[in-house]
Amino acid sequence: QVQLVESGGGLVQAGGSLRLSCVATGSILSINDMGWYRQAPGKQRELVAIDNGKGNTNYDNSVKGRFTISRDNAKNTVILQMNSLKPEDTATYYCNAKILTETMRFLEVWGRGTLVTVSS
C-alpha cells in the first residue's frame, strides 16, 4: 500500500517560518509530480507548489518568493520551506504525489493533511 506521511505543521506568528515534510512509502517504482496543496476553511483546495522531480517547479503566485519546494528523489521526500508566513497562509496543507507502483499501477495519492496556523 502506498501512502504519504506529512509532518511539520503548527502554530507560528506572522513573519515566521515553518518546514513541511512529506515522505512516500510503499511499493514505489517512481514518482512523477510531487507537491503541496492547501485548503482554508470554507475555501476550495488549491495548489501551493509542485515539483516534477526533473528540476521543474511551479508555485501559486501568492507564495512566490516566500515558499520553496524541494525533493529528495532517493528518499521519496518533498519539502516545503515556508518563510515570511502571513495569516492568509493559514490552512490545512496536503501532500500529493503521482506514483507508479512496482505492480505498474499509476496512482494519485494524498496525505492526511497537516494544519498550519499563522497568527497576526
Side-chain angles (χ1 to χ4, degrees), residues 50-88:
I50 196 165
D51 186 318
N52 72 352
K54 299 176 183 177
N56 297 313
T57 58
N58 190 33
Y59 295 90
D60 183 78
N61 286 334
S62 66
V63 306
K64 282 182 180 178
R66 300 187 297 122
F67 291 11
T68 302
I69 190 169
S70 60
R71 281 180 59 171
D72 184 334
N73 291 329
K75 297 181 179 179
N76 292 335
T77 298
V78 64
I79 303 294
L80 186 68
Q81 178 65 44
M82 305 185 294
N83 299 328
S84 303
L85 282 160
K86 304 176 181 180
E88 50 264 43

Side-chain angles (χ1 to χ4, degrees), residues 4 6 20-22 31-38 46-53 58 69-71 77-80 93-98 109-111:
L4 302 178
E6 302 133 329
L20 304 183
S21 298
C22 172
I31 303 178
N32 296 336
D33 294 344
M34 203 168 187
W36 293 92
Y37 290 71
R38 67 186 179 187
E46 62 180 9
L47 174 68
V48 176
I50 196 165
D51 186 318
N52 72 352
N58 190 33
I69 190 169
S70 60
R71 281 180 59 171
T77 298
V78 64
I79 303 294
L80 186 68
Y93 285 69
Y94 296 90
C95 183
N96 173 276
K98 296 177 175 63
V109 185
W110 291 90

